[in-house]
């Protein structure tokens, strides 16, 4: 029992939501305790709002990075507070400043997650300051210092927490990475099931969609590690974490690789158990990944009983048995038909054994591997003001999702402010808060968020009313307020309905403490509904970012990054296997583009049917491009292994594939430009048709050479997928008849 409690405590203290909630609990509890001790109950609400706004700007970072971010956030908060003080007496001037702030700050989100959080928190504080000012400069002058004090207090708590406990966020992200990687291994194992009439296409699509989650987890873990890498030698715990992250990258490349069409393997070995043994090894590796995830969270040694090594021994024996059968067929007609699947089976077995070795090194924290590995990571944050301005300037065009989102948000806030003024609603700023919280760059995300917001608000109002009725004592209500704040920050990234219910309860209790609860419940409900309706209408009517319009560009990025990945792989075949930064970056960019494609497809399915375009073609392209990436990953996994040779014919075929991928990517980019000439309308058909004519026939893909080696076999597989991908690309950019895309 004690061990179970200890493991639960270790998981909780390393869980990101729990640590966020604990920080908020400490900050809010200290504010309330000080307010009660000093007799400042009336001044508590502005301080609490400042704490909330500051906490909204928080991202995973080292204490140094968090200190810089908090100082930048306080500077932005000061500017927002000054703008409110200067314009609060003139509502329409205040409205204009709010719209301009939304326009400017939202575009800054293109710089990275840290800047998106600061921009979001700054807009929230602007609205909080206007709410607390009560339309007078005197009110603004009184509330602003209290809000800034609350923001500075939470910043101090956040920086101190990051300095005292830097490991928990890294552990949480690594644990989540290995958890989603374990699920990916399970889904990949389903493809190896040698059963007739199995829907392989549906399983491939599930794998492609889940790959997006794996890539997101890899990127989150990388950013968490990157923020803690200093200039000197990293501490031992960080080196171990880096090794585990690089091991996860290696496993991802190996498990995402495919050495053959699975239906061909199923047909060739239908009367053998060898594919079931491959499937068992993959399943056990997936379980090992989940156990490693749990061990990282609990800070314990992963438990495994050696079943994987025995399963690999059984697999090798089964492959040897197939070799014996093939030897008996030498000189017969069946020998030639078995050569290709048997070669792929050997490559699959080698890959599984190597993957088990990578897992063993990650489980043991292999010090030798840590010392030999290249731990360099690419920092994607802007390195100077010139770099930052260059990135912002790159978003200043009509097709930029950030610029479109900023215009949409600014116009939504203008509409919300106008409604607030027209109805003389004293709590109308909640309309604006709702718009800021639910508006997202994508239509599907906005619709999901506003439904969650409405549901959470209704639940929170009911909970707040019940708490006021059941616990009339001010001290108990203050304790519930602190608890609600902790729940809000702990759940806002994972369970938004619960988070909204918690923050609604917090605000209701806060207004009741100040004696201003009369009419708040109905006002909150109506204002939330109004804000949701405005945000929903804006996401539909104001520069909508429909996914069907983005697909030619996203598809072009997939092909271009796969070409660069293939080029990096070929360089490794010449120079020898080295997991250096350049190679890992090419691999990661290819998977990032694939993940962007799958995420876009998921968002497309939540959009109105009239704007989805040809969903079947989109699904086919996603499945084929992911399959092509699997074949390229197999080439990457074979680097430095037996049979990883390349002759002149292989080089010629690889060069042809590179040119074909780049050529198709260029044509898709041209088609995107042609169809994007008239945003919001049907693409200009003649321009698109002209681009399509240059695609060439599907037979213009690289020639299929006979598979003389593993390299040739993988290149031949890519060469067979490419014509199908080319045909789907053609259909992708053709305008549907009688319908705008």
């Amino acid at each position: 029992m004690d061990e179970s409690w200890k493991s639960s405590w270790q998981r909780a203290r390393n869980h990101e939501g729990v640590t966020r909630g604990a920080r908020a609990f400490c900050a809010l509890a200290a504010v309330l305790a000080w307010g009660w001790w000093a007799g400042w109950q009336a001044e508590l609400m502005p301080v609490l709002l400042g704490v909330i706004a500051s906490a909204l700007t928080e991202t995973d970072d080292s204490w140094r990075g968090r200190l810089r971010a908090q100082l930048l956030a306080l500077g932005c908060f000061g500017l927002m507070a000054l703008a409110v003080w200067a314009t609060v007496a003139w509502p329409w001037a205040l409205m204009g400043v709010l719209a301009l702030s939304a326009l400017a700050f939202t575009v800054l989100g293109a710089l990275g997650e840290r800047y998106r959080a600061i921009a979001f928190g700054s807009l929230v504080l602007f609205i909080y300051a206007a709410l607390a000012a009560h339309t007078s400069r005197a009110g603004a002058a009184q509330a602003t210092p209290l809000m800034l004090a609350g923001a500075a207090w939470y910043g101090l708590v956040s920086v101190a927490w990051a300095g005292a406990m830097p490991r928990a966020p890294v552990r949480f992200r690594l644990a989540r990475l290995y958890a989603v990687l374990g699920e990916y291994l399970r889904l990949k194992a389903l493809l190896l099931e040698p059963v007739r009439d199995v829907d392989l296409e549906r399983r491939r699509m599930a794998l492609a969609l889940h790959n997006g989650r794996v890539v997101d987890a890899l990127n989150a873990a990388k950013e968490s590690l990157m923020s803690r890498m200093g200039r000197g030698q990293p501490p031992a715990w960080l080196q171990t974490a880096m090794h585990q992250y690089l091991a996860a990258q290696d496993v991802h490349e190996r498990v995402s690789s495919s050495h053959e069409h699975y239906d061909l393997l199923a047909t060739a070995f239908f009367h053998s158990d060898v594919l079931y043994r491959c499937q068992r090894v993959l399943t056990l590796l997936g379980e090992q990944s989940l156990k490693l995830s749990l061990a990282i969270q609990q800070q314990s040694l992963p438990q495994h009983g050696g079943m994987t090594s025995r399963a690999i021994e059984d697999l090798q024996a089964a492959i040897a048995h197939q070799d014996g059968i093939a030897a008996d067929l030498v000189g017969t007609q069946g020998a030639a038909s078995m050569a290709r699947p048997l070669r792929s089976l050997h490559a699959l077995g080698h890959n599984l054994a190597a993957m088990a070795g990578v897992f063993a090194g990650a489980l043991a924290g292999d010090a030798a591997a840590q010392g030999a590995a290249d731990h360099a990571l690419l920092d994607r944050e802007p390195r100077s003001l010139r770099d930052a301005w260059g990135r912002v300037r790159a978003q200043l065009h009509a097709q930029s999702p950030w610029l479109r989102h900023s215009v949409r948000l600014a116009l939504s806030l203008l509409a919300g402010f106008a409604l607030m003024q027209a109805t003389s609603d004293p709590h109308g700023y909640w309309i604006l808060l709702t718009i800021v919280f639910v508006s997202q760059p994508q239509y599907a995300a906005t619709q999901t968020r506003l439904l969650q917001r409405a549901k959470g608000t209704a639940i929170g109002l009911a909970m707040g009313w019940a708490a006021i009725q059941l616990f009339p004592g001010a001290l108990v209500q203050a304790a519930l307020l602190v608890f609600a704040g902790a729940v809000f920050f702990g759940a806002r990234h994972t369970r938004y309905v619960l988070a909204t219910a918690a923050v609604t309860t917090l605000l209701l209790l806060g207004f009741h403490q100040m004696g201003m609860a009369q009419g708040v419940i109905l006002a909150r409900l109506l204002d939330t509904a109004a804000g949701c309706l405005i945000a929903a209408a804006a996401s539909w009517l104001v520069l909508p970012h429909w996914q069907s319009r983005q697909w030619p560009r996203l598809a072009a990025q997939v092909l271009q990054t796969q070409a660069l990945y293939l080029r990096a792989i070929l360089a490794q075949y010449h120079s020898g296997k080295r997991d250096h930064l350049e190679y890992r970056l090419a691999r990661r960019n290819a998977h990032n583009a694939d993940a962007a494609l799958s995420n876009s497809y998921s968002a497309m399915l939540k959009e109105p049917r009239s704007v989805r375009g040809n969903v079947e073609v989109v699904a086919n392209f996603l499945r084929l491009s992911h399959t092509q990436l699997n074949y390229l990953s197999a080439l990457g996994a074979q680097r430095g292994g037996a049979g990883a040779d390349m002759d002149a014919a292989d080089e010629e075929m690889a060069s042809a594939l590179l040119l074909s991928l780049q050529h198709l990517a260029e044509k898709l980019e041209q088609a995107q430009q042609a169809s994007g000439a008239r945003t919001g309308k049907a693409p200009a058909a003649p321009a698109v048709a002209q681009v399509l004519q240059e695609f060439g026939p599907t037979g213009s893909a690289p020639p299929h050479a006979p598979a003389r080696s593993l390299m040739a076999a993988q290149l031949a597989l890519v060469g067979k997928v490419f014509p199908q991908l080319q045909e789907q690309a053609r259909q992708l950019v053709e305008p549907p008849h009688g319908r705008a895309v």
Side-chain angles (χ1 to χ4, degrees):
M1 185 66 179
D2 290 340
E3 286 298 321
S4 176
W5 181 89
K6 182 179 178 182
S7 62
S8 298
W9 164 246
Q10 291 288 0
R11 282 200 305 272
R13 66 176 292 196
N14 288 308
H15 193 282
E16 190 175 46
V18 173
T19 54
R20 275 199 306 263
R23 280 195 298 275
F25 184 89
C26 292
L28 293 171
V31 168
L32 284 176
W34 176 264
W36 278 81
W37 178 79
W40 287 0
Q41 283 86 350
E43 290 82 6
L44 280 179
M45 183 54 71
V47 179
L48 292 177
L49 293 177
V51 169
I52 293 173
S54 181
L56 291 173
T57 68
E58 188 177 51
T59 56
D60 176 42
D61 215 333
S62 65
W63 73 267
R64 293 183 182 86
R66 192 162 293 178
L67 177 60
R68 290 192 295 269
Q70 289 295 334
L71 291 175
L72 180 58
L74 284 175
C76 292
F77 286 1
L79 288 175
M80 293 295 98
L82 180 62
V84 171
W85 176 84
T87 59
V88 70
W90 302 280
W92 298 107
L94 181 67
M95 180 182 73
V97 172
L98 174 60
L100 288 175
S101 300
L103 196 64
F105 275 104
T106 306
V107 175
L108 291 178
L111 296 179
E113 182 185 3
R114 176 189 295 172
Y115 301 93
R116 285 195 291 273
I118 292 173
F120 177 68
S122 299
L123 289 177
V124 169
L125 185 122
F126 186 105
I127 299 171
Y128 282 164
L131 173 65
H134 299 296
T135 70
S136 69
R137 283 190 171 184
Q142 182 180 3
T144 294
L146 296 173
M147 282 192 180
L148 294 178
W153 164 241
Y154 185 83
L156 182 63
V157 172
S158 177
V159 171
W161 194 289
M165 288 177 281
R167 305 184 188 187
V170 176
R171 290 196 189 107
F172 175 76
R173 281 166 172 72
L174 282 174
R176 181 177 177 274
L177 169 57
Y178 275 98
V180 295
L181 195 57
E183 176 65 10
Y184 190 86
L185 283 155
R186 186 191 70 82
L187 291 173
K188 188 61 179 280
L190 294 177
L191 292 176
L192 289 171
E193 191 172 17
V195 178
R196 290 191 179 96
D197 300 325
V198 65
D199 191 351
L200 280 178
E201 300 307 314
R202 181 178 60 82
R203 294 184 180 185
R204 278 194 176 279
M205 178 58 74
L207 195 70
L209 293 176
H210 188 74
N211 187 60
R213 303 183 188 99
V214 177
V215 172
D216 290 342
L218 279 165
N219 290 335
K222 176 253 181 184
E223 293 301 327
S224 188
L225 290 164
M226 184 74 235
S227 66
R228 290 162 177 82
M229 297 290 288
R231 296 182 179 179
Q233 182 74 7
W237 71 269
L238 192 55
Q239 292 185 43
T240 299
M242 275 295 306
H243 175 62
Q244 291 170 339
Y245 166 73
L246 294 177
Q249 274 201 336
D250 196 356
V251 169
H252 183 225
E253 181 176 54
R254 291 185 177 281
V255 72
S256 62
S257 62
S258 296
H259 295 85
E260 187 52 85
H261 297 294
Y262 294 108
D263 50 357
L264 185 146
L265 291 177
T267 301
F269 302 110
F270 184 78
H271 299 289
S272 168
D273 67 349
V274 67
L275 289 183
Y276 280 114
R277 295 194 180 278
C278 292
Q279 189 180 44
R280 174 170 167 75
V281 172
L282 267 176
T283 302
L284 289 174
L285 289 174
E287 293 175 2
Q288 226 175 60
S289 186
L290 294 175
K291 289 177 181 177
L292 180 55
S293 170
L294 193 62
I296 291 172
Q297 276 195 312
Q298 295 179 353
Q299 296 176 252
S300 61
L301 293 175
Q303 301 297 320
H304 55 94
M307 297 176 64
T308 306
S309 58
R310 289 194 291 273
I312 290 176
E313 291 174 1
D314 293 343
L315 170 61
Q316 290 171 342
I319 293 175
H321 180 68
Q322 292 299 317
D323 286 337
I325 294 176
D328 294 337
L329 294 176
V330 171
T332 67
Q333 187 176 1
S337 63
M338 285 297 296
R340 174 179 163 184
L342 192 60
R343 180 177 54 238
S344 299
L345 181 64
H346 274 279
L348 176 59
H350 173 76
N351 194 36
L352 290 174
M355 199 187 310
V358 175
F359 263 116
L363 291 169
D366 190 350
Q370 291 179 37
D374 179 4
H375 286 176
L377 295 174
L378 178 66
D379 187 2
R380 297 183 184 272
E381 291 288 324
R383 300 180 182 180
S384 63
L385 288 176
R386 176 178 292 183
D387 185 15
W389 168 241
R391 298 189 190 190
V392 171
R393 189 172 55 184
Q395 299 298 320
L396 303 181
H397 59 88
Q399 300 304 315
S400 166
W402 289 107
L403 182 63
R404 296 167 78 92
H405 177 48
S406 67
V407 172
R408 192 183 310 123
L409 179 59
L411 293 178
S412 299
L413 290 172
L414 286 175
F417 199 98
L419 178 62
M420 180 183 73
Q421 293 297 312
T423 57
S424 300
D425 185 357
H427 301 292
Y429 285 100
W430 284 343
I431 299 175
L432 306 182
L433 283 173
T434 299
I435 291 171
V436 170
F437 272 93
V438 304
S439 296
Q440 304 293 318
Q442 291 182 351
Y443 170 88
T446 300
Q447 300 303 310
T448 300
R449 182 58 60 88
L450 66 87
L451 291 174
Q452 293 172 335
R453 183 83 177 179
K455 183 178 179 181
T457 298
I459 295 172
L461 290 173
M463 292 171 57
W465 177 85
I468 292 171
Q469 300 302 315
L470 293 173
F471 307 103
L475 188 60
V476 176
Q477 289 185 13
L480 291 175
L481 187 151
V482 171
F483 179 73
V487 172
F488 167 65
F489 286 106
R492 74 185 186 96
H493 288 299
T494 53
R495 303 178 65 183
Y496 193 73
V497 173
L498 175 61
T500 303
V503 77
T504 302
T505 303
L506 181 153
L507 292 175
L508 194 59
L509 290 172
F511 277 103
H512 186 266
Q513 294 267 304
M514 298 167 61
M516 300 168 57
Q518 187 69 27
V520 166
I521 293 180
L522 182 60
R524 175 79 172 181
L525 196 59
L526 292 176
D527 290 342
T528 298
C532 287
L533 288 175
I534 291 172
S539 68
W540 172 268
L541 300 173
V542 182
L543 298 176
H545 191 66
W546 304 127
Q547 297 303 312
S548 60
R549 294 175 184 158
Q550 316 309 316
W551 260 71
R553 176 180 57 83
L554 294 174
Q557 288 179 354
V558 163
L559 296 170
Q560 186 64 39
T561 55
Q562 287 185 8
L564 294 175
Y565 183 29
L566 176 57
R567 180 172 295 167
I569 291 171
L570 296 176
Q572 295 268 307
Y573 274 78
H574 285 293
S575 62
K577 179 177 179 180
R578 285 186 58 205
D579 281 333
H580 50 56
L581 177 60
E582 183 180 355
Y583 176 79
R584 287 187 281 111
L585 184 60
R587 177 175 64 190
R588 188 55 37 219
N589 286 341
H591 280 284
N592 282 340
D594 183 79
L597 208 62
S598 64
N599 292 339
S600 176
Y601 175 74
S602 298
M604 178 187 291
L605 296 181
K606 298 176 184 178
E607 292 178 346
R609 291 182 180 274
S610 59
V611 298
R612 290 182 190 174
N614 196 330
V615 178
E616 184 179 354
V617 171
V618 167
N620 290 337
F621 188 95
L622 172 60
R623 187 169 54 248
L624 289 168
S625 66
H626 186 71
T627 300
Q628 184 167 268
L629 180 58
N630 292 161
Y631 292 147
L632 294 177
S633 295
L635 276 176
Q638 292 167 7
R639 294 170 298 136
D645 50 352
M646 182 169 58
D647 56 23
D650 293 340
E651 282 208 57
E652 182 180 355
M653 188 177 182
S655 298
L657 280 170
L658 271 172
L659 290 175
S660 297
L661 288 169
Q662 292 172 340
H663 179 72
L664 184 54
E666 290 171 2
K667 295 307 175 185
L668 281 169
E669 285 281 7
Q670 294 175 21
Q672 174 78 59
Q673 295 169 7
S675 63
R678 294 190 237 167
T679 304
K681 300 180 181 179
V688 175
Q690 185 177 3
V691 172
L692 290 174
Q693 288 174 3
E694 298 179 13
F695 268 31
T698 57
S700 63
H704 303 154
R708 302 166 306 279
S709 62
L710 289 176
M711 162 70 80
Q714 292 303 131
L715 292 175
L717 288 171
V718 176
K720 289 178 180 178
V721 170
F722 185 81
Q724 304 172 56
L725 200 61
Q726 192 177 34
E727 177 57 30
Q728 297 305 314
R730 178 190 298 275
Q731 297 182 42
L732 189 65
V733 296
E734 284 178 340
H737 296 294
R739 184 174 63 187
V741 295

